[in-house]
């Protein structure tokens, strides 16, 4: 679900199981930061997306949308429970 949105970023909270591939332990309840750009609108508006892990890529973690990869720019551990 969308927690926050401004002209630059969107914060999404949910399950991101592939985050463990980069050493993140909180993938069952995580906040991710994505750009507020056209290629991310589909996953943000739908509230669900497939996720990809691409080691060594600029898009190491990304949501897959109809307009291409939506790079995950950051992972945040929520302070409260789900």
């Amino acid at each position: 679900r969308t927690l926050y949105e401004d002209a630059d970023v969107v914060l999404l909270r949910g399950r991101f199981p592939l985050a463990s591939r980069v050493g993140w332990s909180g993938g069952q309840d995580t906040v991710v930061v994505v750009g507020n750009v056209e290629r991310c609108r589909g996953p943000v508006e739908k509230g669900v997306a497939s996720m990809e892990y691409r080691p060594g890529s600029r898009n190491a973690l990304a949501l897959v949308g109809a307009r291409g990869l939506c790079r995950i720019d950051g992972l945040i551990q929520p302070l409260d429970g789900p």
Side-chain angles (χ1 to χ4, degrees):
R1 71 180 193 266
T2 300
L3 293 180
Y4 173 82
E5 181 174 345
D6 67 19
D8 299 315
V9 299
V10 180
L11 302 181
L12 303 171
R13 186 171 183 173
R15 287 181 1 102
F16 300 93
L18 287 181
S20 65
R21 301 297 298 236
V22 296
W24 188 255
S25 63
Q28 296 304 314
D29 183 23
T30 294
V31 176
V32 298
V33 181
V34 299
N36 195 351
V37 294
E38 187 61 32
R39 71 181 167 274
C40 294
R41 291 312 313 160
V44 168
E45 291 169 1
K46 287 182 182 178
V48 64
S50 294
M51 188 175 181
E52 284 190 5
Y53 169 66
R54 295 178 175 203
S57 169
R58 175 173 149 79
N59 296 325
L61 289 176
L63 302 176
V64 180
R67 294 189 168 98
L69 293 179
C70 172
R71 186 178 74 234
I72 295 175
D73 294 319
L75 301 167
I76 301 170
Q77 186 71 46
L79 295 176
D80 60 345

